[in-house]
Amino acid sequence: YVVSSSSITGNELNVAQAQREYFRRIQKMPLKNPSLIGFGIHDSNTFKTACRYASGAIIGSAFIRVLEQPGEKTKNIHTFIKNIRS
């Protein structure tokens, strides 16, 4: 789990130069397991940005907000995932 920033979860991912350098250092490490970036991942753009520097991304708060939306949960989840992948 690679934390994208020192802020709290639910904030937007804004990748500054220092963060990109940090992510690149992590990429170069001979890690046993894949790295996943978390914190600030909430849409397709932030997901794609995180995936440029890691094996994937962890979406937490944005997914919880989807679960809290009124309506059919399954449909809301499928729509959210579709939008992330687009």
Coordinates of all heavy atoms in Angstrom, one line a residue:
Y1 N 0.9 -1.2 0.0 CA 0.0 0.0 0.0 C 0.9 1.2 0.0 O 1.6 1.5 1.0 CB -0.9 0.0 1.2 CG -2.0 0.9 1.2 CD1 -3.3 0.5 1.2 CD2 -1.8 2.3 1.2 CE1 -4.4 1.3 1.1 CE2 -2.9 3.2 1.2 CZ -4.2 2.7 1.1 OH -5.2 3.6 1.1
V2 N 0.8 2.0 -1.1 CA 1.6 3.2 -1.2 C 0.7 4.4 -1.0 O -0.3 4.6 -1.7 CB 2.3 3.3 -2.6 CG1 3.0 4.6 -2.7 CG2 3.1 2.1 -2.9
V3 N 0.9 5.1 0.1 CA 0.0 6.2 0.4 C 0.4 7.4 -0.5 O 1.6 7.8 -0.5 CB 0.2 6.6 1.9 CG1 -0.7 7.8 2.2 CG2 -0.3 5.4 2.8
S4 N -0.5 8.0 -1.1 CA -0.2 9.0 -2.1 C 0.1 10.4 -1.5 O 0.8 11.2 -2.1 CB -1.4 9.2 -3.1 OG -2.5 9.7 -2.4
S5 N -0.3 10.6 -0.2 CA 0.0 11.9 0.4 C -0.1 11.7 1.9 O -0.6 10.7 2.4 CB -1.0 12.9 -0.1 OG -2.3 12.7 0.5
S6 N 0.2 12.8 2.6 CA 0.1 12.7 4.1 C -1.2 13.3 4.5 O -1.4 13.5 5.7 CB 1.3 13.5 4.7 OG 1.3 14.8 4.2
S7 N -2.1 13.5 3.6 CA -3.4 14.0 4.0 C -4.3 12.9 4.4 O -3.9 11.7 4.5 CB -4.0 14.8 2.8 OG -4.3 13.9 1.8
I8 N -5.6 13.2 4.7 CA -6.5 12.2 5.1 C -7.2 11.6 3.9 O -7.2 12.2 2.8 CB -7.6 12.8 6.1 CG1 -8.4 13.9 5.3 CG2 -7.0 13.3 7.3 CD1 -9.6 14.4 6.1
T9 N -7.7 10.4 4.1 CA -8.4 9.7 3.0 C -9.6 10.5 2.6 O -10.2 11.2 3.4 CB -8.8 8.3 3.4 OG1 -9.4 7.7 2.3 CG2 -9.8 8.3 4.5
G10 N -10.0 10.5 1.3 CA -11.1 11.2 0.8 C -10.7 12.5 0.1 O -11.5 13.1 -0.6
N11 N -9.5 12.9 0.2 CA -9.0 14.1 -0.5 C -8.6 13.7 -1.9 O -8.4 12.5 -2.2 CB -7.8 14.7 0.2 CG -8.1 15.4 1.5 OD1 -9.3 15.6 1.8 ND2 -7.1 15.8 2.2
E12 N -8.6 14.7 -2.8 CA -8.3 14.5 -4.2 C -6.8 14.2 -4.4 O -5.9 14.8 -3.7 CB -8.7 15.7 -5.0 CG -8.5 15.4 -6.5 CD -9.2 16.5 -7.3 OE1 -10.3 17.0 -6.9 OE2 -8.7 16.8 -8.4
L13 N -6.5 13.3 -5.3 CA -5.1 13.0 -5.6 C -4.5 14.1 -6.6 O -5.0 14.3 -7.7 CB -4.9 11.6 -6.3 CG -3.5 11.3 -6.8 CD1 -2.6 11.1 -5.7 CD2 -3.6 10.0 -7.6
N14 N -3.6 14.9 -6.1 CA -2.9 15.8 -6.9 C -1.4 15.4 -6.9 O -0.8 15.6 -5.8 CB -3.0 17.3 -6.4 CG -4.5 17.7 -6.5 OD1 -5.1 17.6 -7.5 ND2 -5.0 18.3 -5.4
V15 N -0.9 15.0 -8.0 CA 0.5 14.4 -8.0 C 1.5 15.5 -8.2 O 1.6 16.0 -9.4 CB 0.6 13.3 -9.0 CG1 2.0 12.7 -8.9 CG2 -0.4 12.2 -8.7
A16 N 2.2 16.0 -7.2 CA 3.2 17.0 -7.4 C 4.5 16.3 -7.7 O 4.7 15.0 -7.7 CB 3.4 17.7 -6.0
Q17 N 5.5 17.0 -8.1 CA 6.8 16.5 -8.5 C 7.4 15.6 -7.4 O 7.9 14.5 -7.7 CB 7.8 17.6 -8.9 CG 9.1 17.2 -9.3 CD 9.1 16.3 -10.6 OE1 8.2 16.5 -11.5 NE2 10.0 15.4 -10.8
A18 N 7.3 16.0 -6.2 CA 7.9 15.2 -5.1 C 7.2 13.9 -5.0 O 7.9 12.9 -4.7 CB 7.8 16.0 -3.8
Q19 N 5.9 13.9 -5.2 CA 5.2 12.6 -5.1 C 5.6 11.7 -6.3 O 5.7 10.5 -6.1 CB 3.7 12.8 -5.2 CG 3.1 13.4 -3.9 CD 1.7 13.8 -4.0 OE1 1.4 14.7 -4.8 NE2 0.8 13.1 -3.3
R20 N 5.7 12.2 -7.5 CA 6.1 11.4 -8.7 C 7.5 10.8 -8.4 O 7.7 9.7 -8.7 CB 6.1 12.3 -9.9 CG 4.7 12.6 -10.5 CD 4.8 13.2 -11.9 NE 5.4 14.5 -11.9 CZ 4.7 15.7 -11.7 NH1 3.4 15.6 -11.5 NH2 5.4 16.8 -11.7
E21 N 8.4 11.6 -7.8 CA 9.7 11.0 -7.5 C 9.6 9.9 -6.5 O 10.3 8.9 -6.6 CB 10.6 12.2 -7.0 CG 11.0 13.1 -8.1 CD 11.7 14.4 -7.6 OE1 12.1 14.4 -6.4 OE2 11.9 15.3 -8.4
Y22 N 8.8 10.1 -5.5 CA 8.5 9.1 -4.5 C 8.0 7.8 -5.1 O 8.5 6.7 -4.9 CB 7.6 9.6 -3.4 CG 7.0 8.6 -2.5 CD1 7.7 7.9 -1.6 CD2 5.6 8.4 -2.5 CE1 7.1 7.0 -0.7 CE2 5.0 7.5 -1.6 CZ 5.8 6.8 -0.8 OH 5.2 5.9 0.1
F23 N 7.0 8.0 -6.0 CA 6.4 6.8 -6.7 C 7.4 6.1 -7.5 O 7.5 4.9 -7.6 CB 5.2 7.2 -7.5 CG 4.0 7.8 -6.8 CD1 3.2 8.7 -7.4 CD2 3.7 7.4 -5.5 CE1 2.1 9.2 -6.7 CE2 2.7 7.9 -4.8 CZ 1.8 8.8 -5.4
R24 N 8.3 6.9 -8.2 CA 9.3 6.2 -9.1 C 10.3 5.5 -8.2 O 10.8 4.4 -8.6 CB 10.0 7.3 -9.9 CG 9.2 7.8 -11.0 CD 9.9 8.8 -11.9 NE 9.0 9.5 -12.8 CZ 8.7 10.8 -12.8 NH1 9.4 11.6 -12.0 NH2 7.9 11.3 -13.7
R25 N 10.6 6.0 -7.0 CA 11.5 5.2 -6.1 C 10.9 3.9 -5.7 O 11.6 2.9 -5.7 CB 11.9 6.1 -4.9 CG 12.9 7.2 -5.1 CD 13.5 7.7 -3.9 NE 12.6 8.1 -2.8 CZ 11.9 9.2 -2.7 NH1 12.2 10.2 -3.5 NH2 11.1 9.5 -1.7
I26 N 9.6 4.0 -5.4 CA 8.9 2.7 -5.0 C 8.9 1.7 -6.2 O 9.2 0.6 -6.0 CB 7.5 3.0 -4.6 CG1 7.4 4.0 -3.4 CG2 6.7 1.7 -4.4 CD1 7.9 3.4 -2.1
Q27 N 8.7 2.3 -7.4 CA 8.7 1.4 -8.6 C 10.0 0.7 -8.8 O 10.1 -0.5 -9.3 CB 8.4 2.2 -9.9 CG 7.0 2.6 -10.1 CD 6.8 3.4 -11.4 OE1 7.6 4.4 -11.6 NE2 5.8 3.1 -12.2
K28 N 11.1 1.3 -8.5 CA 12.4 0.7 -8.7 C 12.8 -0.3 -7.6 O 13.8 -1.0 -7.8 CB 13.5 1.9 -8.7 CG 13.4 2.7 -9.9 CD 14.4 3.8 -9.9 CE 14.2 4.8 -11.1 NZ 15.2 5.9 -11.1
M29 N 12.1 -0.3 -6.5 CA 12.4 -1.2 -5.4 C 12.1 -2.7 -5.8 O 11.0 -2.9 -6.4 CB 11.6 -0.9 -4.2 CG 12.1 0.4 -3.5 SD 11.1 0.7 -2.1 CE 11.9 2.1 -1.4
P30 N 12.9 -3.6 -5.5 CA 12.6 -5.0 -5.8 C 11.6 -5.6 -4.7 O 11.9 -6.5 -3.9 CB 14.0 -5.7 -5.7 CG 14.7 -4.9 -4.6 CD 14.2 -3.5 -4.8
L31 N 10.4 -5.1 -4.8 CA 9.4 -5.5 -3.8 C 8.8 -6.9 -4.1 O 8.7 -7.3 -5.3 CB 8.2 -4.5 -3.8 CG 8.6 -3.1 -3.5 CD1 7.4 -2.2 -3.7 CD2 9.1 -3.0 -2.1
K32 N 8.5 -7.7 -3.1 CA 7.9 -9.0 -3.3 C 6.5 -9.0 -3.8 O 6.1 -9.8 -4.6 CB 8.0 -9.7 -1.9 CG 7.4 -11.1 -1.9 CD 7.4 -11.7 -0.5 CE 6.7 -13.0 -0.4 NZ 6.6 -13.5 0.9
N33 N 5.8 -8.0 -3.4 CA 4.3 -7.9 -3.8 C 4.1 -6.6 -4.7 O 4.9 -5.7 -4.6 CB 3.5 -7.8 -2.6 CG 3.6 -9.0 -1.7 OD1 3.4 -10.1 -2.2 ND2 3.8 -8.9 -0.4
P34 N 3.1 -6.6 -5.5 CA 2.7 -5.4 -6.3 C 2.4 -4.3 -5.3 O 1.9 -4.4 -4.2 CB 1.5 -5.9 -7.0 CG 1.3 -7.3 -6.9 CD 2.1 -7.7 -5.6
S35 N 2.6 -3.1 -5.8 CA 2.3 -1.9 -5.1 C 1.0 -1.3 -5.6 O 0.7 -1.3 -6.8 CB 3.4 -0.8 -5.2 OG 3.6 -0.4 -6.5
L36 N 0.2 -0.8 -4.7 CA -1.1 -0.2 -5.0 C -1.1 1.2 -4.3 O -0.7 1.3 -3.1 CB -2.2 -1.0 -4.4 CG -2.3 -2.4 -5.0 CD1 -3.4 -3.2 -4.2 CD2 -2.7 -2.4 -6.4
I37 N -1.5 2.2 -5.0 CA -1.6 3.6 -4.5 C -3.0 3.9 -4.0 O -3.9 3.6 -4.6 CB -1.2 4.6 -5.5 CG1 0.3 4.4 -5.9 CG2 -1.4 6.0 -5.0 CD1 0.8 5.4 -7.0
G38 N -3.0 4.4 -2.8 CA -4.3 4.8 -2.2 C -4.3 6.2 -1.7 O -3.2 6.9 -1.7
F39 N -5.4 6.8 -1.4 CA -5.7 8.1 -0.9 C -5.9 9.0 -2.1 O -5.0 9.3 -2.9 CB -4.6 8.7 0.0 CG -4.6 8.2 1.4 CD1 -4.8 6.8 1.7 CD2 -4.5 9.0 2.5 CE1 -4.8 6.3 3.0 CE2 -4.5 8.6 3.8 CZ -4.7 7.2 4.0
G40 N -7.1 9.5 -2.3 CA -7.4 10.5 -3.3 C -7.8 9.9 -4.6 O -8.0 10.6 -5.6
I41 N -8.0 8.6 -4.7 CA -8.4 7.9 -5.9 C -9.9 7.9 -5.9 O -10.5 7.3 -5.1 CB -7.8 6.5 -6.0 CG1 -6.4 6.4 -5.7 CG2 -8.1 5.9 -7.4 CD1 -5.4 7.2 -6.5
H42 N -10.5 8.6 -6.9 CA -11.9 8.8 -6.9 C -12.6 8.8 -8.2 O -13.8 8.8 -8.3 CB -12.3 10.0 -6.1 CG -11.9 11.3 -6.8 ND1 -10.6 11.7 -6.6 CD2 -12.5 12.1 -7.6 CE1 -10.5 12.9 -7.4 NE2 -11.6 13.1 -8.0
D43 N -11.8 8.8 -9.3 CA -12.4 8.9 -10.7 C -11.4 8.3 -11.6 O -10.3 7.8 -11.3 CB -12.8 10.3 -11.1 CG -11.6 11.3 -11.1 OD1 -10.5 10.8 -11.1 OD2 -11.9 12.5 -11.2
S44 N -11.8 8.2 -12.9 CA -11.0 7.6 -13.9 C -9.6 8.3 -14.0 O -8.6 7.6 -14.1 CB -11.7 7.7 -15.3 OG -10.9 7.1 -16.3
N45 N -9.5 9.6 -14.0 CA -8.2 10.3 -14.1 C -7.3 10.0 -12.9 O -6.1 9.7 -13.1 CB -8.5 11.8 -14.2 CG -9.0 12.2 -15.5 OD1 -8.8 11.6 -16.5 ND2 -9.8 13.3 -15.5
T46 N -7.8 10.0 -11.7 CA -6.9 9.7 -10.6 C -6.5 8.3 -10.5 O -5.4 7.9 -10.2 CB -7.6 10.1 -9.2 OG1 -8.9 9.5 -9.1 CG2 -7.7 11.7 -9.1
F47 N -7.4 7.4 -11.0 CA -7.1 6.0 -11.1 C -6.0 5.7 -12.1 O -5.0 5.0 -11.8 CB -8.4 5.1 -11.4 CG -8.1 3.7 -11.6 CD1 -8.0 2.9 -10.4 CD2 -8.0 3.1 -12.8 CE1 -7.7 1.5 -10.5 CE2 -7.8 1.7 -12.9 CZ -7.6 0.9 -11.8
K48 N -6.1 6.3 -13.3 CA -5.1 6.2 -14.3 C -3.8 6.8 -13.9 O -2.7 6.2 -14.2 CB -5.6 6.8 -15.6 CG -6.7 6.0 -16.3 CD -7.2 6.7 -17.5 CE -8.4 5.9 -18.1 NZ -9.1 6.7 -19.2
T49 N -3.8 7.9 -13.2 CA -2.6 8.5 -12.7 C -1.9 7.6 -11.8 O -0.7 7.3 -11.9 CB -2.9 9.9 -12.0 OG1 -3.4 10.8 -13.0 CG2 -1.6 10.5 -11.5
A50 N -2.6 7.0 -10.8 CA -2.0 6.1 -9.8 C -1.4 4.9 -10.5 O -0.3 4.4 -10.2 CB -3.1 5.7 -8.8
C51 N -2.1 4.4 -11.5 CA -1.7 3.1 -12.2 C -0.4 3.4 -13.1 O 0.2 2.4 -13.4 CB -2.8 2.6 -13.1 SG -4.2 1.9 -12.1
R52 N -0.1 4.6 -13.4 CA 1.1 4.9 -14.1 C 2.3 4.6 -13.2 O 3.4 4.4 -13.7 CB 1.2 6.4 -14.5 CG 0.5 6.6 -15.8 CD 0.8 8.0 -16.3 NE -0.5 8.7 -16.2 CZ -0.7 10.0 -16.0 NH1 0.3 10.8 -15.7 NH2 -1.9 10.5 -16.0
Y53 N 2.1 4.7 -11.9 CA 3.2 4.6 -10.9 C 3.2 3.3 -10.1 O 4.0 3.0 -9.3 CB 3.2 5.8 -10.0 CG 3.5 7.1 -10.7 CD1 2.4 7.9 -11.0 CD2 4.7 7.5 -11.1 CE1 2.6 9.1 -11.7 CE2 4.9 8.6 -11.8 CZ 3.8 9.5 -12.1 OH 4.0 10.6 -12.8
A54 N 2.1 2.5 -10.2 CA 1.9 1.3 -9.4 C 1.2 0.3 -10.2 O 0.7 0.5 -11.3 CB 1.2 1.7 -8.1
S55 N 1.0 -0.9 -9.6 CA 0.3 -2.0 -10.2 C -1.2 -1.8 -10.2 O -2.0 -2.5 -10.9 CB 0.6 -3.3 -9.4 OG 2.0 -3.6 -9.5
G56 N -1.7 -0.8 -9.4 CA -3.1 -0.5 -9.3 C -3.4 0.5 -8.3 O -2.4 1.2 -7.8
A57 N -4.6 0.7 -8.0 CA -5.0 1.8 -7.0 C -6.1 1.2 -6.1 O -6.8 0.3 -6.4 CB -5.5 3.0 -7.8
I58 N -6.2 1.8 -4.9 CA -7.2 1.5 -3.9 C -8.2 2.6 -3.8 O -7.8 3.8 -3.6 CB -6.5 1.2 -2.6 CG1 -5.6 0.0 -2.7 CG2 -7.6 1.0 -1.5 CD1 -4.7 -0.2 -1.5
I59 N -9.4 2.3 -4.1 CA -10.5 3.4 -4.0 C -11.3 3.1 -2.7 O -11.9 2.0 -2.6 CB -11.4 3.3 -5.2 CG1 -10.5 3.5 -6.5 CG2 -12.5 4.4 -5.1 CD1 -11.3 3.3 -7.8
G60 N -11.2 4.0 -1.8 CA -11.9 3.8 -0.5 C -13.1 4.7 -0.3 O -14.3 4.3 -0.5
S61 N -12.8 5.9 0.0 CA -13.9 6.9 0.4 C -14.9 7.1 -0.8 O -16.1 7.2 -0.5 CB -13.3 8.2 0.8 OG -12.5 8.1 1.9
A62 N -14.4 7.2 -2.0 CA -15.3 7.4 -3.1 C -16.2 6.2 -3.3 O -17.4 6.4 -3.6 CB -14.5 7.6 -4.4
F63 N -15.8 5.0 -3.0 CA -16.6 3.8 -3.1 C -17.7 3.8 -2.0 O -18.8 3.5 -2.2 CB -15.8 2.5 -3.1 CG -16.6 1.3 -3.3 CD1 -17.1 1.0 -4.5 CD2 -16.9 0.5 -2.2 CE1 -17.9 -0.1 -4.7 CE2 -17.7 -0.7 -2.4 CZ -18.2 -1.0 -3.7
I64 N -17.3 4.2 -0.8 CA -18.2 4.3 0.3 C -19.3 5.3 0.0 O -20.5 5.1 0.3 CB -17.5 4.7 1.6 CG1 -16.5 3.7 2.0 CG2 -18.5 5.0 2.8 CD1 -17.0 2.3 2.3
R65 N -18.9 6.4 -0.6 CA -20.0 7.4 -1.0 C -21.0 6.8 -2.0 O -22.1 7.1 -2.0 CB -19.3 8.7 -1.6 CG -18.7 9.6 -0.5 CD -18.3 10.9 -1.0 NE -17.2 10.9 -2.0 CZ -15.9 10.9 -1.7 NH1 -15.5 11.0 -0.4 NH2 -15.0 10.8 -2.6
V66 N -20.5 6.0 -2.9 CA -21.4 5.3 -3.9 C -22.4 4.4 -3.1 O -23.6 4.4 -3.4 CB -20.6 4.5 -4.9 CG1 -21.5 3.6 -5.7 CG2 -19.8 5.4 -5.8
L67 N -21.9 3.7 -2.1 CA -22.7 2.8 -1.3 C -23.8 3.6 -0.5 O -24.9 3.1 -0.3 CB -21.9 2.0 -0.3 CG -20.9 1.0 -0.9 CD1 -20.1 0.3 0.2 CD2 -21.6 0.0 -1.8
E68 N -23.5 4.9 -0.2 CA -24.4 5.7 0.5 C -25.5 6.4 -0.4 O -26.4 6.9 0.1 CB -23.6 6.8 1.3 CG -22.8 6.2 2.4 CD -21.8 7.2 3.0 OE1 -21.6 8.3 2.4 OE2 -21.4 6.9 4.2
Q69 N -25.3 6.3 -1.7 CA -26.2 7.0 -2.6 C -27.6 6.2 -2.6 O -27.6 5.0 -2.4 CB -25.7 6.9 -4.0 CG -24.5 7.8 -4.3 CD -24.0 7.7 -5.7 OE1 -24.4 6.8 -6.5 NE2 -23.0 8.5 -6.0
P70 N -28.7 7.0 -2.7 CA -30.0 6.4 -2.8 C -30.1 5.6 -4.2 O -29.3 5.9 -5.1 CB -30.9 7.5 -2.8 CG -30.2 8.7 -3.2 CD -28.7 8.5 -2.8
G71 N -31.0 4.7 -4.2 CA -31.2 3.9 -5.4 C -30.7 2.5 -5.3 O -30.3 2.0 -4.2
E72 N -30.7 1.8 -6.4 CA -30.2 0.4 -6.5 C -28.7 0.3 -6.3 O -28.0 0.8 -7.2 CB -30.7 -0.2 -7.8 CG -30.4 -1.7 -7.9 CD -30.7 -2.3 -9.2 OE1 -31.6 -1.7 -9.9 OE2 -30.1 -3.3 -9.5
K73 N -28.3 -0.3 -5.2 CA -26.8 -0.4 -4.9 C -26.0 -1.0 -6.0 O -25.0 -0.5 -6.4 CB -26.6 -1.1 -3.6 CG -27.3 -0.5 -2.4 CD -26.4 0.5 -1.8 CE -27.1 1.1 -0.6 NZ -27.4 2.5 -0.6
T74 N -26.5 -2.2 -6.5 CA -25.8 -2.9 -7.5 C -25.6 -2.0 -8.8 O -24.5 -2.0 -9.3 CB -26.5 -4.2 -7.9 OG1 -26.7 -5.0 -6.7 CG2 -25.7 -5.0 -9.0
K75 N -26.6 -1.3 -9.2 CA -26.5 -0.5 -10.4 C -25.5 0.7 -10.1 O -24.7 1.0 -11.0 CB -27.9 0.1 -10.7 CG -27.9 1.0 -12.0 CD -29.2 1.5 -12.3 CE -29.1 2.4 -13.6 NZ -30.5 2.9 -13.9
N76 N -25.6 1.3 -8.9 CA -24.7 2.4 -8.6 C -23.2 1.9 -8.6 O -22.4 2.6 -9.1 CB -25.0 2.9 -7.2 CG -26.4 3.6 -7.2 OD1 -27.0 4.0 -8.2 ND2 -26.9 3.9 -6.0
I77 N -23.0 0.7 -8.1 CA -21.6 0.2 -8.1 C -21.1 -0.1 -9.5 O -20.0 0.3 -9.8 CB -21.6 -1.1 -7.2 CG1 -21.8 -0.8 -5.7 CG2 -20.3 -1.9 -7.4 CD1 -22.1 -2.0 -4.8
H78 N -22.0 -0.7 -10.3 CA -21.6 -1.0 -11.7 C -21.3 0.3 -12.4 O -20.3 0.3 -13.2 CB -22.6 -1.9 -12.4 CG -22.6 -3.3 -12.0 ND1 -21.7 -4.2 -12.4 CD2 -23.5 -4.0 -11.1 CE1 -21.9 -5.4 -11.8 NE2 -23.0 -5.3 -11.1
T79 N -22.1 1.3 -12.3 CA -21.9 2.6 -12.9 C -20.6 3.2 -12.5 O -19.8 3.7 -13.3 CB -23.1 3.5 -12.6 OG1 -24.2 2.9 -13.1 CG2 -22.8 4.9 -13.3
F80 N -20.3 3.1 -11.2 CA -19.1 3.7 -10.6 C -17.8 3.0 -11.2 O -16.9 3.6 -11.7 CB -19.1 3.6 -9.1 CG -17.8 4.1 -8.5 CD1 -17.6 5.5 -8.4 CD2 -16.9 3.2 -7.9 CE1 -16.4 5.9 -7.8 CE2 -15.7 3.7 -7.3 CZ -15.5 5.1 -7.2
I81 N -17.9 1.7 -11.2 CA -16.7 0.9 -11.8 C -16.6 1.2 -13.3 O -15.4 1.4 -13.7 CB -16.9 -0.6 -11.5 CG1 -16.8 -0.8 -10.0 CG2 -15.9 -1.4 -12.2 CD1 -17.2 -2.2 -9.5
K82 N -17.7 1.2 -14.0 CA -17.6 1.5 -15.4 C -16.9 2.9 -15.7 O -16.1 3.1 -16.5 CB -19.0 1.5 -16.0 CG -19.0 1.8 -17.5 CD -20.4 1.7 -18.0 CE -20.4 2.1 -19.5 NZ -21.8 2.2 -20.0
N83 N -17.3 3.9 -14.9 CA -16.7 5.2 -15.0 C -15.3 5.3 -14.6 O -14.5 6.0 -15.2 CB -17.5 6.2 -14.1 CG -18.9 6.5 -14.7 OD1 -19.2 6.3 -15.9 ND2 -19.8 6.9 -13.8
I84 N -14.9 4.5 -13.7 CA -13.4 4.4 -13.3 C -12.6 3.8 -14.4 O -11.5 4.3 -14.7 CB -13.2 3.6 -12.0 CG1 -13.8 4.3 -10.8 CG2 -11.8 3.2 -11.8 CD1 -13.2 5.5 -10.3
R85 N -13.1 2.8 -15.1 CA -12.4 2.1 -16.1 C -12.4 2.9 -17.4 O -11.6 2.6 -18.3 CB -13.0 0.7 -16.4 CG -12.8 -0.2 -15.2 CD -13.4 -1.5 -15.5 NE -13.0 -2.6 -14.6 CZ -13.5 -3.8 -14.6 NH1 -14.5 -4.1 -15.4 NH2 -13.1 -4.6 -13.7
S86 N -13.3 3.9 -17.6 CA -13.3 4.6 -18.9 C -12.2 5.6 -19.1 O -11.5 5.9 -18.2 CB -14.7 5.3 -19.0 OG -14.8 6.3 -18.0

